[in-house]
Coordinates of all heavy atoms in Angstrom, one line a residue:
R211 N -3.1 32.3 -54.0 CA -1.6 32.3 -54.0 C -1.2 32.2 -52.6 O -1.8 32.6 -51.6 CB -1.1 33.6 -54.6 CG 0.4 33.7 -54.7 CD 0.8 35.0 -55.3 NE 2.3 35.1 -55.3 CZ 3.0 36.2 -55.6 NH1 2.3 37.3 -56.0 NH2 4.3 36.2 -55.6
A212 N 0.0 31.5 -52.4 CA 0.5 31.2 -51.1 C 2.0 31.6 -51.0 O 2.7 31.7 -52.1 CB 0.4 29.8 -50.7
K213 N 2.5 31.9 -49.9 CA 3.9 32.3 -49.7 C 4.8 31.0 -50.0 O 4.4 29.9 -49.7 CB 4.2 32.8 -48.3 CG 3.5 34.1 -48.0 CD 3.9 34.5 -46.6 CE 3.2 35.9 -46.3 NZ 3.5 36.3 -44.9
T214 N 5.9 31.2 -50.6 CA 6.8 30.1 -50.9 C 8.0 30.0 -49.9 O 8.7 29.0 -49.8 CB 7.4 30.2 -52.3 OG1 8.0 31.5 -52.5 CG2 6.3 30.1 -53.4
G215 N 8.3 31.1 -49.2 CA 9.4 31.1 -48.4 C 9.0 31.0 -46.9 O 8.1 30.3 -46.5
R216 N 9.7 31.7 -46.1 CA 9.5 31.6 -44.7 C 8.2 32.2 -44.3 O 7.7 33.2 -44.8 CB 10.6 32.5 -44.0 CG 10.7 32.3 -42.5 CD 11.9 33.0 -41.9 NE 12.0 32.8 -40.5 CZ 13.0 33.3 -39.8 NH1 13.9 34.1 -40.4 NH2 13.1 33.1 -38.5
G218 N 5.4 30.7 -45.1 CA 4.4 30.0 -45.9 C 3.8 28.8 -45.3 O 4.5 28.2 -44.4
P219 N 2.7 28.3 -45.8 CA 2.1 27.1 -45.2 C 2.9 25.8 -45.6 O 3.6 25.8 -46.6 CB 0.7 27.0 -45.9 CG 0.9 27.8 -47.1 CD 1.9 28.9 -46.8
K220 N 2.9 24.9 -44.7 CA 3.6 23.6 -44.9 C 2.7 22.7 -45.8 O 1.6 22.4 -45.4 CB 3.9 22.9 -43.6 CG 4.7 23.7 -42.6 CD 6.1 24.0 -43.2 CE 6.9 24.8 -42.2 NZ 8.3 25.2 -42.7
L221 N 3.2 22.4 -47.0 CA 2.4 21.6 -47.9 C 3.1 20.4 -48.4 O 3.9 20.4 -49.3 CB 2.1 22.5 -49.1 CG 1.3 23.8 -48.8 CD1 1.3 24.7 -50.0 CD2 -0.2 23.4 -48.5
M223 N 4.2 17.0 -50.1 CA 3.9 16.4 -51.4 C 3.4 15.0 -51.3 O 4.2 14.1 -50.8 CB 5.1 16.5 -52.4 CG 4.8 16.0 -53.8 SD 6.3 15.8 -54.8 CE 6.9 17.5 -54.8
R226 N 2.6 13.4 -57.2 CA 2.9 14.3 -58.3 C 2.1 13.9 -59.5 O 2.1 12.8 -59.9 CB 4.4 14.2 -58.6 CG 4.8 15.0 -59.8 CD 4.8 16.5 -59.6 NE 5.9 16.9 -58.7 CZ 6.2 18.2 -58.4 NH1 5.4 19.2 -59.0 NH2 7.1 18.5 -57.6
G230 N 2.6 18.5 -63.5 CA 3.5 19.2 -62.6 C 3.0 19.6 -61.3 O 3.8 19.9 -60.4
Y232 N 0.9 18.9 -57.6 CA 1.0 17.8 -56.7 C -0.1 17.9 -55.7 O -0.6 19.0 -55.4 CB 2.3 17.6 -56.1 CG 2.8 18.7 -55.2 CD1 2.5 18.7 -53.8 CD2 3.5 19.8 -55.7 CE1 2.9 19.8 -53.0 CE2 4.0 20.8 -54.9 CZ 3.7 20.8 -53.6 OH 4.1 21.8 -52.7
V243 N -1.3 21.7 -55.4 CA -0.4 22.8 -55.3 C 0.3 22.9 -56.6 O 0.7 21.9 -57.2 CB 0.6 22.6 -54.2 CG1 1.6 23.7 -54.1 CG2 -0.1 22.4 -52.8
I244 N 0.4 24.2 -57.1 CA 1.1 24.4 -58.4 C 2.3 25.4 -58.1 O 2.1 26.5 -57.7 CB 0.1 25.1 -59.4 CG1 -1.1 24.2 -59.6 CG2 0.9 25.4 -60.7 CD1 -2.2 24.9 -60.4
D245 N 3.5 24.9 -58.3 CA 4.7 25.7 -58.2 C 5.1 26.1 -59.6 O 5.3 25.2 -60.4 CB 5.8 25.0 -57.4 CG 5.4 24.9 -55.9 OD1 4.9 25.8 -55.4 OD2 5.8 23.8 -55.4
A246 N 5.3 27.3 -59.8 CA 5.7 27.7 -61.2 C 6.7 28.9 -61.2 O 6.7 29.7 -60.2 CB 4.4 28.2 -62.0
E247 N 7.4 28.9 -62.2 CA 8.4 30.0 -62.5 C 7.8 30.8 -63.6 O 7.5 30.3 -64.7 CB 9.7 29.5 -62.8 CG 10.8 30.6 -62.9 CD 12.2 30.0 -63.2 OE1 12.4 29.6 -64.4 OE2 13.0 29.8 -62.3
I248 N 7.6 32.1 -63.4 CA 7.0 33.0 -64.4 C 8.1 34.0 -64.8 O 8.6 34.7 -64.0 CB 5.7 33.7 -63.9 CG1 4.7 32.7 -63.5 CG2 5.2 34.6 -65.0 CD1 3.4 33.2 -62.9
G259 N 10.1 35.2 -61.5 CA 9.7 35.1 -60.2 C 9.1 33.7 -60.0 O 8.6 33.1 -60.9
V260 N 9.0 33.2 -58.7 CA 8.5 31.9 -58.4 C 7.1 32.1 -57.7 O 7.1 33.0 -56.7 CB 9.4 31.1 -57.5 CG1 8.8 29.8 -57.1 CG2 10.7 30.8 -58.3
Y261 N 6.1 31.4 -58.1 CA 4.8 31.6 -57.5 C 4.2 30.2 -57.1 O 4.6 29.2 -57.7 CB 3.8 32.2 -58.6 CG 4.2 33.6 -58.9 CD1 5.2 33.9 -59.9 CD2 3.6 34.7 -58.3 CE1 5.5 35.2 -60.2 CE2 3.9 36.0 -58.6 CZ 4.9 36.2 -59.6 OH 5.3 37.5 -59.9
R262 N 3.4 30.2 -56.1 CA 2.8 29.0 -55.6 C 1.3 29.3 -55.5 O 0.8 30.2 -54.8 CB 3.3 28.6 -54.3 CG 2.5 27.5 -53.6 CD 3.2 26.9 -52.3 NE 4.4 26.1 -52.7 CZ 5.2 25.6 -51.8 NH1 5.1 25.9 -50.6 NH2 6.2 24.8 -52.3
L263 N 0.5 28.4 -56.1 CA -1.0 28.5 -56.1 C -1.5 27.2 -55.4 O -1.0 26.1 -55.6 CB -1.6 28.6 -57.5 CG -1.2 29.9 -58.3 CD1 -1.9 29.8 -59.6 CD2 -1.5 31.1 -57.5
T424 N 6.6 28.1 -66.5 CA 7.3 26.8 -66.3 C 6.9 26.2 -65.0 O 7.1 26.8 -63.9 CB 8.8 27.0 -66.3 OG1 9.2 27.6 -67.5 CG2 9.5 25.6 -66.2
I425 N 6.2 25.0 -65.1 CA 5.8 24.3 -63.8 C 7.1 23.7 -63.3 O 7.8 23.0 -63.9 CB 4.8 23.2 -64.1 CG1 3.6 23.9 -64.9 CG2 4.3 22.6 -62.8 CD1 2.8 24.9 -64.1
L426 N 7.3 23.9 -62.0 CA 8.5 23.4 -61.3 C 8.4 22.0 -60.9 O 7.3 21.6 -60.3 CB 8.9 24.3 -60.1 CG 9.2 25.8 -60.4 CD1 9.5 26.5 -59.1 CD2 10.3 25.9 -61.4
A427 N 9.4 21.2 -61.2 CA 9.3 19.8 -60.8 C 9.6 19.6 -59.3 O 9.1 18.6 -58.7 CB 10.4 19.0 -61.6
E428 N 10.2 20.5 -58.7 CA 10.5 20.4 -57.2 C 10.0 21.7 -56.6 O 10.1 22.8 -57.1 CB 12.0 20.3 -57.0 CG 12.6 19.0 -57.5 CD 12.1 17.7 -56.8 OE1 11.6 17.9 -55.6 OE2 12.0 16.6 -57.4
P429 N 9.5 21.6 -55.3 CA 9.1 22.8 -54.6 C 10.2 23.8 -54.4 O 11.3 23.4 -54.2 CB 8.6 22.2 -53.3 CG 8.3 20.8 -53.5 CD 9.3 20.4 -54.6
P430 N 9.9 25.1 -54.5 CA 11.0 26.1 -54.4 C 11.5 26.1 -52.9 O 10.8 25.8 -52.0 CB 10.3 27.4 -54.7 CG 8.8 27.1 -54.5 CD 8.6 25.7 -54.8

Side-chain angles (χ1 to χ4, degrees):
R211 186 179 172 189
K213 295 180 180 178
T214 56
R216 192 173 183 179
K220 304 296 183 182
L221 299 167
M223 183 187 299
R226 173 74 69 176
Y232 62 91
V243 181
I244 304 169
D245 291 321
E247 186 177 80
I248 301 178
V260 175
Y261 295 82
R262 168 172 287 173
L263 298 180
T424 304
I425 306 295
L426 299 180
E428 296 293 334

